Each structure stands twice: as structure tokens, then as C-alpha cells.
Amino acid sequence: MTARIVVLTGAGVSAESGIRTFRAADGLWEEHRIEDVATPEGFRADPALVHRFYNERRRQLVGGTVEPNAAHLALARLEQQHPGGTMIVTQNIDDLHERAGSRNLIHMHGELLRMRCVACDHLSERLTDSSVADACAECGGALRPHVVWFGEMPLDLDTIYDALEACAVFVAIGTSGNVYPAAGFAAVAAQVGAHTIELNLEPSEVASTFAETRYGPATELVPRWVEEVLA
Ligand code: BJW
Ligand code: ZN
């Protein structure tokens, strides 16, 4: 079924679960240079550093200290109960949407709990620390986190643009609008006549491209908006 509601989520949807965002004053980019940990060049220069950066974040997911919050749960309920179809496109590499029950889900920037072979692209599940010594089970090649770094192509873009071009409602939740192509999705949806809504703690960089904006914590705004849609 074509998804008539497309939901784009960013780090803000997981913030209240205890996962740090990128660009806040206490965000991940305050402690790490983007060039070092989120580019293919950074990985080539110091793969051990990049493995450590993602290991720390993976431990948070696997250790059971973070749980889906009311926003993730409301979005899963929307998918189950909205007859028109819902697709979630998340920029997040955590697994909180699937743990909340969402199934029609695209991880456009990859997944922290998977590794990818640099030689043959084979994907494998990873729940423990990774290192430069790890080798692909298929071909013996080196493994890297299955995440999309700057300068790399985001995943499943054809499916995402098909959904954007057919949607009636586009909602962006907890994303700062700094990173493209995701920051341009609202403009694409508006172009085809969709109603566009931004739900965020504060106006994003692309707030002016939305028809409707609401500001506050995701755990309050998202359940309220889902109630309205399902009413
Ligand atoms: C709350 C809240 C609460 C807090 N409740 N809200 C010039 C123009 C246009 C594009 C480019 C350009 N120069 C370069 C580019 C392309 C580049 C790009 O966009 N660069 C910009 C910096 C300008 N993009 C790319 O390279 C992408 N690929 C691409 O374009 O491919 C095409 C191509 C490739 C090659 C050749 C030719 C074409 C790839 C981008 C990959 C991004 N990867 C990362 C890391 C992933 C792995 C990891 O997690 O480590 O993805 S970067 C990081 O940013 C991560 C995130 O998914 C992404 C977005 O961040 P997000 O989610 O918005 O988080 P924050 O922290 O920024 O914001 C949080 C928000 O939440 C805030 O607004 C808060 O207010 C809010 N919030 N608490 C509600 N409780
Ligand atoms: Zn391989």
C-alpha cells in the first residue's frame, strides 16, 4: 500500500530516551570532529577511532539502558491504526522505532546494530564491540559500521522519493534540517500538494518550508498529533 503519511524522524525523537543528538551544546559533535568519525576519509585515516565511537553508542542500545519513548510508541500505533498507510523514514541509526513496533521503516542513514563488509557489502548483525580485526564471514574483507557518512549516498532513496511524491501528509520530527537530502524532503512533499508539518523542540533550519509548525518535546507533541490523526 502506498504510504499516505510519511514521517521523517531525527535525533530529537530519541533524545528523551537518553540518546544524545548531534548538534546540541552537549551533542556528539561537541566531542568529536565530524571529519574524523562521520566520513569515509576519517575511517580510512583512523578506523580504530571510528570503531570506538560507534562501540560506545552501540553499548547504550544493547545494554538495555535506553527504551522507546512515548513518541516512538505513538508512531507505531499510527502505523497499526491508520488505514491510509504510514511510512517512517528515520535518519537515526538506533533501533527504537522497531522496538516500539514500527514495521514500515527505512533507516536512510543505516543501522548501528549492523556491520557492512567494505569489499563485498555483505551485512551482518552486530550486538558487541567491533574492531579493525573483524573480518567478513563471506569474503574475509574488513568490516565497517553500516552507517551513511557525509559524502555517501543515503539508503533506499528511490523508495523514499516515491513515497514523498505520493503522500498526503509529511511530518518531520526532531531533526535540525542541517543534513541533505533529508532536509529537502518537506519541499518535495509540498511540491506535490502534501500538507507538511514540523514537530520539534525549536524551529529547524528549514522551518519555513513547512505549512504547519509545532514546538515542544517529542514525547508530548507526537502522541497529541497521532491522537488527532486517528480521531
Ligand atoms: C527535539 C528534542 C525533543 C532535541 N523533542 N525535538 C551543500 C548543500 C546541500 C547538501 C550538501 C552540501 N554540501 C554537502 C552536502 C551533502 C551532505 C550535507 O547535507 N552536508 C551538510 C552539512 C550541508 N549530505 C551528505 O553527504 C549525505 N549524502 C548525500 O548527500 O549523498 C548524495 C551524494 C553523495 C555523493 C555524491 C553525490 C551525491 C549523507 C549524509 C549522512 C549523514 N550522516 C550522519 C551520521 C550517521 C551515522 C551516525 O549516527 O553517526 O547522520 S550525520 C548526522 O546528522 C546523522 C543524522 O542522521 C544527521 C541529521 O541529524 P539530526 O537527526 O537532524 O540531529 P541534530 O542533532 O542535528 O538535530 C536534533 C534536532 O532535534 C534539533 O532540531 C533539536 O531541536 C531537536 N530536538 N530534543 C523534539 N526532546
Ligand atoms: Zn565480504
Side-chain angles (χ1 to χ4, degrees), residues 9-13 15-16 21-24 29 37-38 53-54 57 91-93 109 147-154 173-181 199-204 216-219:
T9 63
V13 81
E16 291 166 85
T21 65
F22 295 93
R23 294 170 182 80
W29 296 156
V37 297
F53 175 68
Y54 288 97
R57 295 168 64 194
Q91 298 170 85
N92 300 342
I93 62 173
H109 290 165
V147 301
V148 177
W149 290 320
F150 285 105
E152 297 185 318
M153 199 58 84
I173 303 169
T175 177
S176 65
N178 277 292
V179 175
Y180 286 83
L199 306 180
N200 203 325
L201 211 45
E202 58 186 32
S204 75
T219 54

Side-chain angles (χ1 to χ4, degrees), residues 117 119-122 136 138-141:
C117 173
C120 78
D121 284 340
H122 177 70
C136 173
E138 297 291 317
C139 79

Side-chain angles (χ1 to χ4, degrees), residues 76-108:
R77 179 166 165 246
L78 178 69
E79 180 184 332
Q80 281 147 17
Q81 299 186 7
H82 181 63
T86 302
M87 175 187 283
I88 298 178
V89 178
T90 188
Q91 298 170 85
N92 300 342
I93 62 173
D94 67 53
D95 62 346
L96 296 183
H97 281 303
E98 43 272 60
R99 279 165 57 188
S102 291
R103 292 294 170 260
N104 196 13
L105 172 68
I106 290 177
H107 277 279
M108 67 176 288

Side-chain angles (χ1 to χ4, degrees), residues 206-231:
V206 291
S208 65
T209 63
F210 290 85
E212 183 183 345
T213 53
R214 302 182 188 184
Y215 298 112
T219 54
E220 290 175 20
L221 294 185
V222 179
R224 197 178 309 148
W225 172 73
V226 168
E227 285 298 330
E228 288 171 24
V229 174
L230 295 177

